[in-house]
């Protein structure tokens, strides 16, 4: 089954290192049947366009401003990343939510701005360990979906991908179980079906992210409930990431 594999570089590497990475990934994924997206820092987008252009690998950014343009010193707009060659943007990553205090309201605005600029959105949702221990996971993730997608039209959901990323699994080496993942994917689809339609619930793409690595990736990503994966740490090694991208799921 064809999957969507997304790599999130976070704040790692410098543009000159990314050149070698991009050239290598382009070559190593030539025959992959999967859809592949890499999301490097903003400063790498020009390099990405130059060395991934024409390859199987598409490019995304890790964030955008909620504003379209104007007096917002230091911010990067959706139009800027689109013009720089990005087709995707990650919005609502748990690191943005917790370390930069991004609220669901802000995330909702960012999603609208991204969609209006023709970007595809990878919306991250997921619960903390405390929420999980309090058995509030389902309600918490359902509310994130509702708040983050408020006012977004059903036809726009074609450009939205939901990544279920339990916070306790990100960069910790702890991975959600196959049944946990299947359950949460179902919760997400049901919530979308409730807010939009059965068709929307069935067709939305749902990814899993959290401590996927070269040893556990095949088992996790081949889960038929999933449309693919969001990979942090393990995407930094081009050989390992290319293996994950080339796999026949
Ligand atoms: C992430 O940052 O989205 C992520 C899934 O990280 P890791 O794969 O390192 O857990």
């Amino acid at each position: 089954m064809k999957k969507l594999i997304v790599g999130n570089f976070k704040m790692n590497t410098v543009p000159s290192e990314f050149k070698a990475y991009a050239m290598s990934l382009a070559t190593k994924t030539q025959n992959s049947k999967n859809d592949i997206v890499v999301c490097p820092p903003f400063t790498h987008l020009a390099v990405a366009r130059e060395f991934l252009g024409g390859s199987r690998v598409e490019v995304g950014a890790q964030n955008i401003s909620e504003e379209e343009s104007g007096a917002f010193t230091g911010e990067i707009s959706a139009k800027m990343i689109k013009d720089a060659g990005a087709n995707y943007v990650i919005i609502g990553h748990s690191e943005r939510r917790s370390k930069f205090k991004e609220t669901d309201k802000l995330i909702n605005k960012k999603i609208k701005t991204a969609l209006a600029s023709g970007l595809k959105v990878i919306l991250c949702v997921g619960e903390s360990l405390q929420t999980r221990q309090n058995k509030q996971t389902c309600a918490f993730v359902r509310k994130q979906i509702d708040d983050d997608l408020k006012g977004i039209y059903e036809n726009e959901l074609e450009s939205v991908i939901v990544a279920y990323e339990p916070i306790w699994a990100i960069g910790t080496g702890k991975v959600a179980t196959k049944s946990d993942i299947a359950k949460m994917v179902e919760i997400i689809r049901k919530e979308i079906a409730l807010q939009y339609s059965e068709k929307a619930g069935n067709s939305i793409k749902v990814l899993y992210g959290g401590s996927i690595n070269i040893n556990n990736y095949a088992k996790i990503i081949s889960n038929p409930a999933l449309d693919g994966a969001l990979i942090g740490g393990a995407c930094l090694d081009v050989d390992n990431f290319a293996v994950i991208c080339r796999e026949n799921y």
Side-chain angles (χ1 to χ4, degrees):
M1 186 179 160
K2 179 171 148 176
K3 303 274 183 171
L4 172 62
I5 311 294
V6 183
N8 173 12
F9 264 64
K10 310 195 185 190
M11 197 170 73
N12 290 300
T13 75
V14 295
S16 55
E17 289 165 335
F18 189 68
K19 174 181 167 183
Y21 180 100
M23 288 170 79
S24 177
L25 188 64
T27 309
K28 288 178 162 68
T29 54
Q30 263 168 5
N31 299 320
S32 169
K33 303 248 181 330
N34 299 304
D35 292 322
I36 306 162
V37 179
V38 285
C39 301
F42 295 127
T43 46
H44 301 32
L45 291 178
V47 178
R49 171 149 71 189
E50 190 174 349
F51 295 98
L52 291 171
S55 80
R56 295 213 25 88
V57 184
E58 288 192 89
V59 179
Q62 298 168 22
N63 184 30
I64 45 162
S65 168
E66 69 278 18
E67 303 292 345
E68 282 186 10
S69 64
F72 300 100
T73 301
E75 288 292 272
I76 306 279
S77 74
K79 282 202 179 83
M80 289 172 189
I81 66 157
K82 180 88 175 125
D83 190 72
N87 286 331
Y88 289 79
V89 61
I90 298 172
I91 296 184
H93 191 279
S94 66
E95 287 154 17
R96 302 269 351 146
R97 292 178 189 263
S98 65
K99 296 179 182 169
F100 300 92
K101 307 289 171 243
E102 291 198 3
T103 61
D104 287 309
K105 197 168 171 203
L106 180 76
I107 287 162
N108 176 250
K109 197 166 176 206
K110 288 190 176 194
I111 294 174
K112 288 176 177 162
T113 306
L115 293 173
S117 301
L119 291 166
K120 290 185 183 149
V121 170
I122 300 163
L123 165 64
C124 299
V125 296
E127 80 287 0
S128 66
L129 185 60
Q130 198 184 359
T131 301
R132 181 178 163 84
Q133 283 167 344
N134 292 341
K135 305 210 179 312
Q136 295 294 315
T137 298
C138 297
F140 181 83
V141 170
R142 282 211 310 262
K143 185 165 167 22
Q144 282 187 318
I145 295 279
D146 292 355
D147 293 349
D148 296 349
L149 296 180
K150 198 169 274 170
I152 284 151
Y153 298 107
E154 181 163 344
N155 66 328
E156 294 178 302
L157 289 184
E158 274 174 26
S159 300
V160 177
I161 295 141
V162 177
Y164 170 59
E165 296 210 304
I167 299 169
W168 49 267
I170 297 176
T172 58
K174 295 193 179 90
V175 178
T177 63
K178 187 177 176 187
S179 63
D180 272 345
I181 294 172
K183 182 178 156 198
M184 289 315 297
V185 173
E186 200 188 324
I187 295 286
I188 290 164
R189 291 193 187 288
K190 276 198 176 145
E191 196 55 28
I192 303 268
L194 191 71
Q195 299 298 337
Y196 294 93
S197 69
E198 204 68 36
K199 186 168 165 253
N202 289 333
S203 50
I204 190 112
K205 281 198 170 71
V206 187
L207 315 180
Y208 165 80
S211 292
I212 293 178
N213 61 41
I214 193 65
N215 300 312
N216 64 17
Y217 77 92
K219 233 174 153 180
I220 297 169
I221 303 174
S222 60
N223 185 339
L226 285 176
D227 295 295
L230 178 51
I231 297 170
C235 82
L236 295 174
D237 181 311
V238 71
D239 293 323
N240 285 350
F241 191 53
V243 167
I244 298 172
C245 291
R246 280 199 307 263
E247 182 75 36
N248 192 354
Y249 298 98

